[in-house]
Structure formats: C-alpha cells, structure tokens
Amino acid sequence: MKISLKKIVSLVLKGLIPIVLYGCGQSIGYKDVGSEIRYYSTTTPDWLPSASGGKRYSIIKEYVNRSKFETFETYAKDDKTVWFYTIPITGADAESFVGLEGNYAKDKFRVYLNGMPLQDVNSEFFEVIESNQNNELFKFIYTRTDKDIYCMGSPLHVSSIHNFELIPEFLFWAKDGVNYFFRSRKIVIGNYDAIEIFGDQWYKDNLFVYHTERGAIIIDKGLNSDIPSLDINTVQKTEVGGYFRDKFGYISGYSKKRVSIEDYEYQKIEL
C-alpha cells in the first residue's frame, strides 16, 4: 500500500507518526537570510507546515551593521543596537553588552532578564549561579552580586552571600547558614539546624512538618480523640508528594488528616 507524502505529513502533525529530522530543519537562533536578519524559534523545516499556522521566525526591523553583528543565544547586537530576540532594548549600551546564561545579560550600566532591565542590581559584580539541575529551564534561576543573591530577579536578602549554597538534591532549595530558601521565599519557620527537606515545598524540623506556604501541618483530629498526633521522630516522606508516614500510619499534608493505607495506595496509582 502506497502512502502519499501529504498523508505522512498529516499523520506527523497529529502525532501519530514520530519522526526525527536530520539536516532538513532550520536550527534555532539568528540567521542572515538575504536582506533579513531572522531569529528562528523552532527547528521545524520550511517544507513542513506549522501546526499553529504561524511563522517560525521573526525579523529584526532596524538597520543592522552586519560587520559588527554578534549574537548571544537570545540576544544580539551590532555597534549601536541591542536586541532581545528581534526586539530592540532601549538604553542598552551596545559596546559593553554581553549575553549571559539563562536569558540574563548585562552592560556597564544595567542587568537584564528576558530583555528587561533589573532595578538596583550592580552589573559590575553580577554573575549567574549555575545549578546542577538537569532541567535547563531551572539551571540558571539564581544570580549573585556583591550585595545579595537573586532568584529570577527577586532579592533574597541573604545573611551572607559567601555562605549561600544551592541544595543539589532538591529543586529550588538553597541555604545561607542562617535561613533556608525555597525559590525567592525565605523560610523563617522551623529550627534551621534540625531542618530536613522532603522535596517540593515540604520540610520538617524537630517539632513539625511544614509547607513553605501553608505553615506547620498539625493533624486535624476532628471529634475523634483517639487519632494520634504526628510523631515527628518517626515521620518520613513517601513516594507520593505531600503524603508522609510515621509509626502510626499515613498522613495527608494537604488535608492535615490521617489517611488509610488504601487511600495512600490509591494516590500512588494516580501518579
């Protein structure tokens, strides 16, 4: 049975046929095409119709001095203008401008994130902190100056920039010798020396289990006085996020109630 190229393309777009394209697509990034400087945002080949029906690239509309044109992944510049993708950045100093990891960039006056200047950030001492996370989206969310640490542009107000360190086992967690941090949130509840991170937004100390936004998890006993309180000495995380186990059984951190083993096993199946 013969299948037409049109039919194959239709099945690919519907996800019914996986396909790997070698040498026939346009690489992501800037490309000089005729009279245009383009930024390609997808590797979709020109011959394959776009699933969204839209263009696969944008064009720099301003004059570009090609002899001085330089690119930094999502940023570009010539001797007079700086662009984020193909959008000019007003006020950026082209001569000193450099692109950094994680959509950050800087010139001698400012630091930029996603093309927008960050307020009150010293560009002279600015650097991106690389984590050991495998996910590229979260590999460069922390940055450092001579005054503070930042998470996605928000200051953490750390006690010491020199003692600040990421916690490699847990995404978004860090510490500075006095406080723990989850993303840009300073953890002010809990005994620092006794904190054990469970993952996601959950952690414990020698008194309670906590959620970074919900606070301490105190078991709601309702009218049943026979329900035991959480035993902090034996509590441990489980395979299901937000569920814990102590010597008395399973606990849901979300409902703040004890749950049966059957309820817990059901949650495992739902994963």
Side-chain angles (χ1 to χ4, degrees):
M1 180 180 66
K2 293 183 177 180
I3 302 178
S4 67
L5 176 61
K6 182 178 180 181
K7 180 64 175 178
I8 293 175
V9 170
S10 174
L11 293 173
V12 168
L13 292 177
K14 292 178 181 179
L16 299 179
I17 295 180
I19 186 168
V20 179
L21 303 167
Y22 293 100
C24 56
Q26 171 59 55
S27 60
I28 291 174
Y30 292 94
K31 187 173 178 61
D32 193 338
V33 181
S35 61
E36 299 175 340
I37 299 291
R38 299 177 179 179
Y39 183 87
Y40 283 84
S41 56
T42 175
T43 57
T44 305
D46 291 334
W47 57 264
L48 190 63
S50 170
S52 63
K55 283 188 175 181
R56 296 177 293 276
Y57 61 86
S58 56
I59 301 170
I60 292 179
K61 296 180 180 180
E62 295 74 26
Y63 168 77
V64 178
N65 183 346
R66 282 168 166 75
S67 66
K68 299 292 184 179
F69 188 69
E70 188 176 356
T71 63
F72 311 92
E73 294 188 357
T74 56
Y75 292 92
K77 72 173 186 175
D78 63 9
D79 57 332
K80 296 186 181 298
T81 308
V82 176
W83 292 270
F84 177 61
Y85 292 108
T86 56
I87 302 171
I89 302 177
T90 303
D93 180 69
E95 182 179 0
S96 61
F97 185 91
V98 291
L100 304 171
E101 300 90 345
N103 274 355
Y104 286 96
K106 69 177 183 177
D107 60 24
K108 64 182 179 181
F109 301 112
R110 304 176 187 85
V111 173
Y112 304 87
L113 174 59
N114 295 327
M116 300 297 293
L118 300 179
Q119 300 299 316
D120 303 320
V121 178
N122 188 337
S123 65
E124 181 181 359
F125 298 99
F126 181 84
E127 63 177 351
V128 178
I129 302 173
E130 180 177 355
S131 75
N132 63 352
Q133 298 296 333
N134 293 325
N135 192 324
E136 291 296 324
L137 291 175
F138 307 119
K139 199 173 184 67
F140 304 107
I141 65 171
Y142 290 97
T143 56
R144 185 197 320 266
T145 68
D146 58 329
K147 303 292 185 183
D148 205 353
I149 305 293
Y150 297 79
C151 178
M152 295 180 285
S154 298
L156 299 186
H157 304 297
V158 298
S159 298
S160 169
I161 62 170
H162 304 293
N163 292 334
F164 180 84
E165 59 178 317
L166 303 180
I167 301 174
E169 303 94 325
F170 301 103
L171 184 63
F172 299 130
W173 282 90
K175 61 182 179 179
D176 67 356
V178 177
N179 292 108
Y180 280 83
F181 300 86
F182 179 77
R183 295 182 181 174
S184 57
R185 181 187 295 270
K186 181 181 291 187
I187 305 301
V188 297
I189 302 176
N191 180 350
Y192 180 89
D193 294 325
I195 281 180
E196 177 186 348
I197 300 170
F198 283 156
D200 295 327
Q201 294 179 254
W202 301 96
Y203 66 102
K204 62 163 278 193
D205 63 5
N206 54 334
L207 295 176
F208 296 105
V209 170
Y210 305 89
H211 186 273
T212 59
E213 296 179 5
R214 301 166 184 257
I217 304 303
I218 301 174
I219 293 177
D220 181 4
K221 297 184 178 182
L223 299 177
N224 190 344
S225 60
D226 295 331
I227 297 177
S229 297
L230 183 144
D231 184 74
I232 197 64
N233 294 318
T234 60
V235 69
Q236 56 187 297
K237 65 180 181 180
T238 67
E239 297 177 64
V240 181
Y243 283 77
F244 312 97
R245 183 177 185 177
D246 63 8
K247 66 180 182 180
F248 299 115
Y250 291 96
I251 306 113
S252 166
Y254 298 107
S255 66
K256 301 183 181 182
K257 295 180 182 293
R258 290 196 175 274
V259 296
S260 66
I261 188 172
E262 290 78 15
D263 288 338
Y264 170 75
E265 291 296 332
Y266 177 78
Q267 294 298 324
K268 285 180 59 177
I269 295 173
E270 289 294 298
L271 286 178

